């Protein structure tokens, strides 16, 4: 009888180890075919997903044997936790395991934008030698604003601090005596103040009804024309057409996005916007982070299937 279904591309040593103890079915493209997933889910005790498989109420209702869903990564926007809890299905995830990699990409994006590295590279590859054209901006002494001061926001701010930047944070759920923020001599401010004072704004909040489209024309209008905008959190937090317009109108100097409102995106307004840097949701895609994430989720799934408590459950379910 099958035990574990992997409906996205999750592999490595930890999956092999899990396969030695349980019957594991690896169907990395299944997330693209929700009716097929719905047909096969009744057979499984555990489901492991990334952020593409829609673990919605209909799927959970059909999952008659399912005990646990493992979300390999952070962010539960594709998992209906309420429906899972009502059905007694445990949800586990892997907080912390990819945070350093995401922070490193955010910093890479900041450096790329401030020094126009991708544009200078393309121009030089084309046979040019335009030194004046690629005069950039120094980061030392500038202000780095994080929207969402959780794990990734903090790790990104630590790295920005190492460049000699001042730290501002907006997070409605953080108190101003937060120890991590104090460590960075960071200042907790309103969103409006953060946008007005920051030279670089980096988003690290979750996708929620409250954050949907939070960064829109009105908010971009508050930023300095020299400011850089970075989003490695979730695409839904940005009104993409407003961002493209802000770049075209020179309201913002540059933007970098790892995440999009729809993934993969249909070619739209952003691809042609000036001073934009786009990556295909790769912030957590380093060998190190993926190994940690896969190991953490496989170990938690094994614990649950063995009748042990999960280490990183996000809901509480009662056992019959
Ligand atoms: P976290 O839960 O540790 O931190 C999120 C922070 O956002 C919390 O401090 C919370 O209080 C704050 N927040 C909540 N609502 C807010 C609001 N309305 N405005 C401002 N702040 C708000 O999460 P994390 O692990 O730091 O992850 C941050 C984000 O990064 C999430 O959206 C996650 O999905 C995303 N992420 C992206 C990738 C990627 O590959 N690009 C990988 C991992 C995580």
């Amino acid at each position: 009888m099958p035990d574990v279904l992997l409906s996205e591309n999750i592999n490595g040593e930890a999956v092999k180890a899990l396969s030695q103890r349980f019957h594991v079915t690896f169907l990395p493209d299944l997330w693209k075919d929700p009716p097929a997933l719905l047909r096969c889910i009744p057979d499984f005790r555990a489901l492991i997903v990334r952020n593409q498989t829609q673990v919605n109420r209909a799927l959970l209702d059909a999952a008659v044997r399912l005990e646990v869903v493992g979300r390999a990564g952070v962010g539960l926007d594709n998992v209906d936790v309420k429906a899972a809890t009502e059905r007694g299905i445990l949800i586990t995830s892997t907080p912390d395991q990819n945070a350093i990699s995401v922070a490193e990409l955010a910093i890479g994006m900041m450096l790329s934008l401030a020094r126009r590295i991708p544009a200078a590279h393309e121009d030089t590859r084309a046979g040019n030698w335009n030194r004046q054209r690629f005069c950039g901006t120094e980061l030392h002494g500038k202000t780095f604003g994080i929207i969402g001061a959780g794990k990734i926001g903090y790790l990104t701010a630590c790295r920005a601090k190492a460049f000699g930047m001042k730290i501002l944070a907006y997070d409605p759920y953080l108190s101003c005596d937060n120890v991590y923020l104090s460590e960075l001599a960071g200042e907790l401010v309103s969103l409006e103040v953060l946008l007005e004072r920051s030279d670089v704004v980096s988003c690290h909040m979750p996708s929620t009804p409250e954050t949907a489209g939070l960064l829109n024309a009105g908010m971009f209008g508050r930023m300095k024309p020299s400011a850089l905008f970075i989003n490695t959190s979730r695409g839904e937090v940005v009104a993409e057409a407003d961002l493209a317009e802000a770049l075209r109108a020179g309201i913002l100097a540059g933007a970098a996005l790892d995440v999009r409102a729809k993934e993969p995106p249909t070619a739209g307004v952003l691809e042609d916007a000036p001073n934009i840097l786009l990556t295909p949701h790769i912030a957590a895609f380093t060998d190190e982070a993926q190994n940690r994430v896969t190991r953490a989720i496989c170990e938690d799934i094994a614990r649950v299937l063995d009748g042990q408590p999960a280490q990183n459950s996000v809901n509480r379910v009662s056992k019959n």
Side-chain angles (χ1 to χ4, degrees):
M1 197 69 178
D3 294 308
V4 185
L5 174 62
L6 281 80
S7 60
E8 295 182 48
N9 194 9
I10 303 156
N11 47 41
E13 288 306 312
V15 174
K16 278 190 203 144
L18 191 69
S19 310
Q20 279 160 10
R21 298 209 40 231
F22 300 96
H23 187 302
V24 173
T25 305
F26 178 56
L27 295 170
D29 291 324
L30 190 59
W31 64 273
K32 295 177 188 165
D33 188 352
L37 175 60
L38 201 63
R39 279 195 301 278
C40 69
I41 197 68
D43 293 342
F44 292 92
R45 293 173 66 201
L47 171 66
I48 304 183
V49 303
R50 288 191 191 276
N51 66 338
Q52 303 280 8
T53 310
Q54 295 307 309
V55 186
N56 52 29
R57 188 174 284 276
L59 186 73
L60 293 164
D61 282 347
V64 288
R65 288 184 78 219
L66 201 66
E67 296 167 41
V68 56
V69 175
R71 160 70 171 102
V74 182
L76 292 161
D77 17 321
N78 59 320
V79 179
D80 188 336
V81 179
K82 185 168 177 284
T85 310
E86 284 167 18
R87 292 202 58 88
I89 297 168
L90 201 69
I91 308 291
T92 75
S93 77
T94 58
D96 299 335
Q97 307 297 340
N98 57 22
I100 291 172
S101 289
V102 180
E104 288 182 357
L105 186 81
I107 294 296
M109 287 177 145
M110 172 170 71
L111 290 166
S112 297
L113 289 174
R115 302 305 301 269
R116 304 184 56 202
I117 298 170
H121 167 73
E122 285 306 327
D123 193 65
T124 309
R125 255 164 60 114
N128 301 313
W129 196 254
N130 284 314
R131 296 179 68 208
Q132 301 299 330
R133 185 169 158 204
F134 293 107
C135 184
T137 305
E138 201 168 71
L139 297 169
H140 187 268
K142 300 281 178 6
T143 298
F144 187 77
I146 48 170
I147 306 178
K151 287 176 286 293
I152 298 172
Y154 168 72
L155 289 171
T156 309
C158 286
R159 284 151 179 79
K161 182 85 182 167
F163 282 98
M165 300 182 82
K166 299 182 197 103
I167 307 299
L168 295 182
Y170 165 68
D171 190 322
Y173 303 102
L174 214 68
S175 84
C176 54
D177 57 1
N178 179 275
V179 62
Y180 296 108
L181 210 55
S182 314
E183 214 174 75
L184 297 172
E187 202 183 328
L188 195 62
V189 294
S190 69
L191 179 58
E192 289 75 11
V193 167
L194 180 139
L195 294 171
E196 284 158 15
R197 284 176 46 194
S198 297
D199 299 292
V200 181
V201 172
S202 192
C203 292
H204 302 287
M205 68 287 221
S207 172
T208 64
E210 189 192 2
T211 60
L214 185 64
L215 279 307
N216 54 31
M219 293 299 175
F220 294 131
R222 290 180 177 272
M223 293 174 67
K224 300 178 186 180
S226 57
L228 305 173
F229 175 77
I230 297 164
N231 185 18
T232 55
S233 65
R234 283 291 178 264
E236 294 84 354
V237 307
V238 174
E240 293 184 346
D242 291 2
L243 175 60
E245 184 48 36
L247 289 167
R248 279 198 191 92
I251 289 167
L252 281 182
L257 304 178
D258 182 50
V259 284
R260 302 293 291 276
K262 181 173 175 289
E263 293 182 4
T266 36
V269 279
L270 278 168
E271 285 71 13
D272 297 330
N275 302 320
I276 189 132
L277 179 56
L278 300 170
T279 52
H281 203 146
I282 54 166
F285 277 74
T286 62
D287 291 340
E288 293 81 358
Q290 289 308 305
N291 287 339
R292 283 194 300 267
V293 162
T294 308
R295 193 171 54 240
I297 208 68
C298 288
E299 286 176 359
D300 237 8
I301 293 291
R303 270 184 211 103
V304 176
L305 295 183
D306 282 340
Q308 305 298 320
Q311 216 158 54
N312 290 303
S313 57
V314 299
N315 62 347
R316 289 165 78 91
V317 296
S318 51
K319 293 206 168 160
N320 300 325

